[in-house]
Amino acid sequence: MARLGVGIGWRPEITDAVERLPGLDWVEVVAENICPDHLPDSLVRLRERGVRVVPHGVSLGIGGADRPDPAKLAALGERAVALGAPLVTEHIAFVRTSSPPLEAGHLLPVPRTRDALDVLCENVRIAQDALPVPLALENIAALFSWPDEELTEGQFLTELVERTGVRLLIDVANLHTNRVNRGEDPAAVLDAIPLEALAYVHVAGGVEKGGVWHDTHAHPVPPVVLDLLAGLCSRVDPPGVLLERDDDFPPEAELAGELTAIRAVLTAPALPAAADVPGAPEAPGAADVSGAAGAADVPGAAEAVGVAPDSGSVEAARTRVGLGQAALLSALVAGTPVPEGFDRRRIRVQARALAAKRADVVAKVAPELPGILGGADPYREAFLAYAKGRPMTGGYRRDALDFAEHLLVRNLPADAAARRRLTAWWRERAGVRPPRGVVNWARTLFGRAA
């Protein structure tokens, strides 16, 4: 892999600060947030300075039961070419189901089973054939485990690499998250995976609440995550390390200080691999997380790497994986019963987190809505009530329009002036799409809202 060095996630809110950071080698951009034909001026200037730019996808859902969307693959490839990127990255996760059509709006863990691995490997090969540059996949942070898993994280990632040749993007903050939430040992994962396939490393902050670690990317990087970075560096010299920050951006000096701390880890004398995290606390809450397992707990943990299946068995695996993912996602976003074997408490935590994220993202893509509805709190209350019965099926912009329509067909908001503003907002953006609830809508549009 190309040497990347030390970098930071480029975000529109911190463009000026990123350009001024000393010694910056590269940046990573969220692929879905840029247009290849109209790159932000800041990214153009960084590239002209020799700073490399890597697109990082978040919506492909390569771990889902369906084959990767050709349009999404083409879009990811276009961004790689426009940026002159040495590779593109995505996540080992699923984000949607097609039957029923549901969107999580978030990265969800795939089951570490033979079926899921077979599906993932075929999806990776499809993506690799479509992309103009190498692909690297990231381990994700998770709040819960799947029941009846057949492989450890290390086995799952190792066989994925051996069967596809895909690179790995290892997020050490996610390793810490999974230690707290799922009782998994980060050192065991690092010992098991093929680090020669390492593309680069993510480092980020989070916060613990009620025994659950939330991978927020909105808090400073804690010492325990830097310790995990040191443990990884004791095993391999990483081609690149990147600081992720997505919200609650600190002053420029604090960002520079976090990069300095990362550089200090990279240049420190290597520690023995066994001393990964001296004195690391036992994972809080790990004992009550259903499905958490170490290598010794997983049936068949010592078995040899499996042989790639034929196409017919992969199709059968897609069906089985699809049924499981649909049942889980429906429980998370549509309120259906939690499938047997899952930790119901953790699923409830995840469901609340998904709804809260959905409200936050809709407020970002449609910032007028909180103002129309009287502020952040009334907006959030109204949106969460809407989200309970209306799972997202078409992305956040469609969700914003559906939310507005949901209010208007119910003669809401109660304030007539606010209702007129919301009507005008909806009509301007909805185009010719006929709304549901035609009678109520007509009364709202031409009656009270007139």
Side-chain angles (χ1 to χ4, degrees):
M1 288 302 303
R3 299 296 303 183
L4 293 171
V6 175
I8 192 170
W10 182 92
R11 303 293 183 265
E13 297 89 342
I14 53 173
T15 54
D16 293 340
V18 168
E19 289 191 62
R20 290 191 294 263
L21 288 170
L24 189 69
D25 298 311
W26 66 294
V27 297
E28 181 190 77
V29 297
V30 177
E32 290 82 354
N33 289 352
I34 62 167
C35 176
D37 296 329
H38 303 283
L39 295 177
D41 292 341
S42 173
L43 286 180
V44 174
R45 288 191 294 269
L46 286 168
R47 288 191 63 212
E48 290 172 346
R49 282 170 37 191
V51 175
R52 285 185 165 179
V53 183
V54 173
H56 185 54
V58 297
S59 65
L60 186 59
I62 201 166
D66 295 323
R67 288 173 175 79
D69 183 343
K72 290 184 182 296
L73 286 173
L76 193 56
E78 287 172 0
R79 282 148 180 80
V81 171
L83 295 168
L87 77 163
V88 296
T89 59
E90 249 288 353
H91 300 81
I92 302 171
F94 81 100
V95 298
R96 66 182 63 84
T97 59
S98 60
S99 181
L102 295 173
E103 290 274 348
H106 189 70
L107 304 166
L108 296 175
V110 300
R112 288 174 295 203
T113 61
R114 285 286 169 197
D115 277 350
L117 181 60
D118 290 344
V119 170
L120 175 61
C121 286
E122 184 172 80
N123 287 352
V124 167
R125 286 189 286 267
I126 292 169
Q128 289 170 319
D129 288 344
L131 292 169
V133 295
L135 171 68
L137 294 179
E138 178 181 351
N139 60 306
I140 72 162
L143 279 171
F144 60 89
S145 295
W146 284 76
D148 303 322
E149 293 194 320
E150 300 167 323
L151 302 165
T152 65
E153 178 80 342
Q155 288 175 308
F156 194 85
L157 295 179
T158 296
E159 188 163 340
L160 171 65
V161 171
E162 292 178 348
R163 287 170 57 175
T164 66
V166 74
R167 276 75 165 178
L168 294 177
L169 191 179
I170 296 300
D171 189 316
V172 291
N174 291 350
L175 293 178
H176 174 63
T177 302
N178 294 339
R179 168 169 50 198
V180 176
N181 293 349
R182 304 204 287 185
E184 297 174 352
D185 180 7
V189 176
L190 293 176
D191 283 339
I193 61 176
L195 290 174
E196 65 273 11
L198 183 65
Y200 60 88
V201 179
H202 272 173
V203 177
V207 64
E208 184 184 334
K209 294 180 180 178
V212 174
W213 186 268
H214 297 272
D215 182 46
T216 64
H217 295 190
H219 293 79
V221 177
V224 69
V225 171
L226 291 177
D227 288 340
L228 285 176
L229 176 62
L232 183 146
C233 292
S234 71
R235 295 167 168 82
V236 68
D237 179 17
V241 180
L242 183 116
L243 171 66
E244 286 190 297
R245 186 80 180 221
D246 293 324
D247 209 348
D248 289 341
F249 297 99
E252 183 178 331
E254 290 186 28
L255 290 175
E258 292 208 289
L259 290 175
T260 297
I262 290 171
R263 290 189 184 98
V265 172
L266 296 177
T267 58
L271 295 173
D276 289 299
V277 188
E282 184 178 348
D288 63 3
V289 180
S290 173
D297 303 314
V298 178
E303 292 178 4
V305 172
V307 177
D310 60 39
S311 59
S313 61
V314 174
E315 287 306 306
R318 286 190 186 280
T319 299
R320 291 189 292 268
V321 170
L323 289 172
Q325 291 180 345
L328 173 62
L329 187 52
S330 181
L332 288 169
V333 302
T336 58
V338 177
E340 188 68 28
F342 284 95
D343 184 318
R344 285 173 169 74
R345 181 176 69 86
R346 289 299 173 100
I347 297 300
R348 287 194 297 270
V349 172
Q350 182 72 82
R352 290 194 297 269
L354 291 179
K357 179 179 179 180
R358 186 176 162 193
D360 291 342
V361 177
V362 167
K364 288 182 178 180
V365 302
E368 304 86 357
L369 290 178
I372 292 172
L373 297 179
D377 290 342
Y379 157 78
R380 193 174 187 84
E381 181 180 355
F383 188 90
L384 292 178
Y386 150 82
K388 284 182 179 179
R390 295 285 296 277
M392 183 167 60
T393 59
Y396 287 112
R397 296 186 187 281
R398 180 74 259 164
D399 206 22
L401 287 171
D402 287 347
F403 169 55
E405 181 184 315
H406 169 84
L407 295 177
L408 289 170
V409 298
R410 287 160 179 77
N411 296 326
L412 296 172
D415 178 74
R419 198 163 57 250
R420 284 194 295 270
R421 290 174 61 199
L422 186 61
T423 300
W425 183 91
W426 189 93
R427 293 183 67 183
E428 181 180 342
R429 291 160 179 80
V432 297
R433 177 179 178 270
R436 291 178 290 277
V438 175
V439 175
N440 285 337
W441 170 260
R443 185 175 70 247
T444 300
L445 184 58
F446 300 111
R448 297 186 181 187

